[in-house]
Amino acid sequence: MDSVVRAAAVFLFLMIVFRLAGRRTLTEMSNFDFVLVLIISEATQNAMIGDDNSLTNAALVILTLITLDIGLSLLRERSPRLSRWLEGVPTVIVVDGKPLMPLMDWARVGVDDVLAAARESQGLERMDQIKYAILERHGKISIIPKSEN
Amino acid sequence: MEHDLRVQQITWRVQRISWFGMVLVLVAALLGLFGSGPLSRSFAVDPGSPLRLEYERFGRQQRATMLRLHLGSDLTQGSRALVWLDRSYVESVEVREISPPPLDSMAGIGRIHYTFAITEPGRPTAITFEVRPQTIGSLSGQAGLDNESLIRFQQWIYP
């Protein structure tokens, strides 16, 4: 019993914390984020396993996490409303080459980030070549370039 | 592009069915089929004696589990209580802690005896052994008081 409860508690806690932390936390991993992930995994391991190193415990913990993940994906698919709250919504942050600064500030995305995404995905150089920039639910910035003509 | 929809549909179907299996396993785990839970908690008694053994029917290798001997008031008349566990059980587990600690322990041919001080004669009490099973599979044991009562119990130890 306690294996399942511990794993579920850790899963829900991490889900809430990462949701509160916001989407920039884990997508564009900096060195510090990488260290953070390592430390978090160590800490959660202790919380989930405790002093029970049995095979059965490991199997139950894994099964709990995967089942919760499947369950949440089913819920998200069925309820778009829940999905919006759990995963966030795509946000337009640049329109016709004009950055929407209040939104970008809230999202903690800078002009540099948008330009970097524009270079990487579309090979664009300037802000005025961008028609739309959208901060996606998973933290990536997608760029729609202005058409050439 | 090659597109084998049949294989994909079978895979999806198998996945959906396996999800139900996963949920069933988790429900069984919550109920205690893999240790710690209502299905696992168990009592064994010696008919005709107010001695009861509380134990877990399902344990896991190397994970601490409790054996708790409940002594009824008839059994604590003197200032000492002599409890024993059978030797093969003690050798299949690691006895981590006995609470309260025994005054004395003695090894016999088939039984290991522990002597405990009783502070309030005539009142019920309990003695707890914390053990870690070392083997996998079925584990049977015996426990008792003095040389009279005998309780048999059976545990299943998961790897």
Side-chain angles (χ1 to χ4, degrees):
Chain A
M1 177 168 76
D2 46 352
S3 317
V4 179
V5 174
R6 275 162 174 262
V10 167
F11 181 91
L12 292 177
F13 175 75
L14 283 181
M15 210 180 72
I16 292 168
V17 167
F18 280 124
R19 186 73 186 98
L20 291 178
R23 53 188 139 189
R24 285 208 37 111
T25 313
L26 287 178
T27 44
E28 300 277 315
M29 276 228 268
S30 66
N31 291 350
F32 180 73
D33 293 333
F34 181 66
V35 173
L36 199 67
V37 168
L38 286 182
I39 297 170
I40 289 173
S41 69
E42 276 295 314
T44 51
Q45 190 205 347
N46 290 336
M48 283 191 288
I49 302 291
D51 64 344
D52 183 354
N53 292 318
S54 65
L55 207 66
T56 309
N57 191 40
L60 286 176
V61 166
I62 293 168
L63 208 60
T64 307
L65 296 178
I66 292 195
T67 306
L68 282 174
D69 197 46
I70 296 171
L72 270 183
S73 71
L74 291 176
L75 273 180
R76 278 200 295 265
E77 192 198 322
R78 253 156 239 188
S79 160
R81 229 182 103 162
L82 184 74
S83 168
R84 282 202 289 273
W85 285 106
L86 287 180
E87 302 243 287
V89 286
T91 314
V92 178
I93 48 176
V94 175
V95 177
D96 281 329
K98 287 196 186 64
L100 307 176
M101 277 331 277
L103 291 179
M104 285 174 67
D105 287 344
W106 274 107
R108 284 172 288 158
V109 175
V111 171
D112 299 353
D113 297 312
V114 175
L115 285 175
R119 283 196 298 275
E120 281 165 17
S121 63
Q122 305 285 346
L124 303 181
E125 302 162 62
R126 300 182 313 273
M127 195 56 103
D128 60 30
Q129 294 172 309
I130 300 174
K131 188 173 180 206
Y132 293 116
I134 299 136
L135 180 62
E136 299 290 353
R137 289 190 300 183
H138 305 105
K140 276 192 90 127
I141 300 169
S142 5
I143 303 291
I144 297 165
K146 280 186 183 165
S147 42
E148 292 297 314
N149 45 11
Chain B
M1 195 182 106
E2 226 175 288
H3 183 67
D4 193 342
L5 197 59
R6 207 179 63 86
V7 171
Q8 187 56 64
Q9 277 171 338
I10 293 172
T11 314
W12 278 332
R13 215 156 283 161
V14 170
Q15 284 176 345
R16 295 284 188 295
I17 294 166
S18 75
W19 294 349
F20 284 102
M22 285 155 80
V23 171
L24 282 183
V25 171
L26 289 185
V27 170
L30 281 172
L31 289 175
L33 191 69
F34 303 103
S36 76
L39 278 180
S40 183
R41 191 163 180 249
S42 191
F43 287 94
V45 289
D46 174 21
S49 156
L51 181 67
R52 276 199 319 160
L53 174 71
E54 182 186 349
Y55 68 102
E56 279 204 88
R57 202 173 289 147
F58 303 106
R60 294 180 200 160
Q61 193 189 20
Q62 292 290 349
R63 183 228 219 180
T65 176
M66 296 284 182
L67 292 180
R68 185 166 289 146
L69 273 166
H70 295 270
L71 312 184
S73 47
D74 293 355
L75 298 173
T76 58
Q77 295 299 331
S79 59
R80 295 275 187 275
L82 188 73
V83 167
W84 60 267
L85 290 174
D86 75 302
R87 205 180 107 198
S88 67
Y89 183 81
V90 173
E91 285 172 358
S92 312
V93 300
E94 180 195 343
V95 179
R96 296 275 292 178
E97 203 183 343
I98 305 174
S99 158
L103 294 176
D104 191 20
S105 55
M106 285 172 293
I109 302 171
R111 293 173 175 181
I112 309 294
H113 298 265
Y114 303 91
T115 310
F116 297 92
I118 301 289
T119 50
E120 291 171 275
R123 304 295 294 261
T125 186
I127 291 157
T128 306
F129 291 80
E130 189 191 314
V131 301
R132 280 174 188 246
Q134 304 291 305
T135 56
I136 297 168
S138 177
L139 183 60
S140 55
Q142 294 173 16
L145 199 70
D146 302 319
N147 281 317
E148 297 149 22
S149 53
L150 188 153
I151 293 175
R152 290 175 201 279
F153 61 98
Q154 192 86 34
Q155 288 176 308
W156 179 263
I157 307 302
Y158 290 98

